[in-house]
Amino acid sequence: QKEVEQNSGPLSVPEGAIASLNCTYSDRGSQSFFWYRQYSGKSPELIMFIYSNGDKEDGRFTAQLNKASQYVSLLIRDSQPSDSATYLCAPRGGSYIPTFGRGTSLIVHP
Amino acid sequence: KAGVTQTPRYLIKTRGQQVTLSCSPISGHRSVSWYQQTPGQGLQFLFEYFSETQRNKGNFPGRFSGRQFSNSRSEMNVSTLELGDSALYLCASSLTDTYEQYFGPGTRLTVT
């Protein structure tokens, strides 16, 4: 079982829709969960982090965490073409070795 | 506040050569981590430095090494380059006790 699993996609959504990106992890010691956005040819950019079970909202982004199910998700409301990118999930705190998911490619079409 | 900077941005080397990449973290950040990103393997952790000491190391051969200076700037070195070392090398900095990492623009290394 991979340590961090994400559907590679691409996930295609129409402009204005809600995009839902999912991530499961195997390390039960993980305490912090980070979402990075990476545009093609660019470096990852931190967009959200969550530490506690439940939801955390920041603008159009909502991170959801369920530690019992070892599941974290990122919702993007009112998706825009500029949201088209690869989204990387990164749980931290269990192992000292940072582990990133392979990322989900999101395409928002007009 | 200035972001993480990396130099050079692009490099072309031949097999067997060595290369040194440089990273300057965000001001006040004392932890610097290095990653290799390839289409096949994704983002792979190389090592992390904090206060001039290597704190963690990923599963890479000894040809990959690094160091950190007293001003938190960091360098990584790859000796005896192989074709498979062609990748985007990313540096990320963070504050002392947080995992929130901020990435630099990366160095694109091509080995021919």
Side-chain angles (χ1 to χ4, degrees):
Chain A
Q1 180 187 8
K2 293 181 182 177
E3 294 183 34
V4 184
E5 295 211 38
Q6 295 182 256
N7 189 322
S8 62
L11 172 65
S12 182
V13 301
E15 185 175 355
I18 296 175
S20 178
L21 306 165
N22 305 315
C23 171
T24 59
Y25 59 94
S26 61
D27 188 347
R28 286 195 170 274
S30 299
Q31 301 160 11
S32 315
F33 302 84
F34 299 87
W35 283 98
Y36 290 84
R37 176 178 63 199
Q38 186 171 24
Y39 292 113
S40 180
K42 302 294 186 181
S43 60
E45 173 192 10
L46 178 64
I47 56 171
M48 281 286 287
F49 56 88
I50 186 168
Y51 302 129
S52 304
N53 276 330
D55 296 358
K56 178 182 177 183
E57 187 175 317
D58 184 1
R60 296 186 296 112
F61 298 97
T62 299
Q64 299 176 319
L65 174 61
N66 184 325
K67 290 185 179 180
S69 300
Q70 296 175 252
Y71 175 92
V72 58
S73 64
L74 179 69
L75 301 178
I76 306 175
R77 291 182 301 279
D78 188 25
S79 296
Q80 301 296 310
S82 59
D83 294 327
S84 298
T86 297
Y87 290 80
L88 306 173
C89 168
R92 289 295 304 275
S95 164
Y96 288 113
I97 303 301
T99 305
F100 286 74
R102 297 292 298 274
T104 297
S105 174
L106 172 66
I107 299 173
V108 181
H109 53 88
Chain B
K1 184 183 281 191
V4 179
T5 59
Q6 292 186 246
T7 57
R9 294 293 310 280
Y10 303 92
L11 265 179
I12 299 176
K13 292 286 189 178
T14 57
R15 277 182 300 175
Q17 287 186 315
Q18 74 166 16
V19 66
T20 299
L21 312 181
S22 180
C23 170
S24 292
I26 293 171
S27 177
H29 285 196
R30 296 170 63 189
S31 170
V32 174
S33 297
W34 289 90
Y35 295 86
Q36 180 195 68
Q37 188 173 37
T38 60
Q41 297 297 320
L43 201 58
Q44 301 287 309
F45 172 74
L46 282 156
F47 28 66
E48 179 198 5
Y49 286 87
F50 177 77
S51 292
E52 303 178 64
T53 300
Q54 186 179 88
R55 191 155 66 171
N56 294 305
K57 188 178 188 303
N59 188 26
F60 277 81
R63 299 185 297 107
F64 293 82
S65 63
R67 59 177 175 169
Q68 186 180 33
F69 302 95
S70 59
N71 61 359
S72 294
R73 190 177 70 84
S74 177
E75 289 181 346
M76 69 163 282
N77 183 278
V78 188
S79 62
T80 319
L81 284 166
E82 301 177 358
L83 295 178
D85 296 332
S86 294
L88 178 66
Y89 289 88
L90 292 159
C91 161
S93 76
S94 61
L95 287 171
T96 308
D97 295 319
T98 176
Y99 296 121
E100 297 169 38
Q101 293 189 319
Y102 297 88
F103 284 85
T107 295
R108 174 75 62 185
L109 172 64
T110 301
V111 182
T112 62

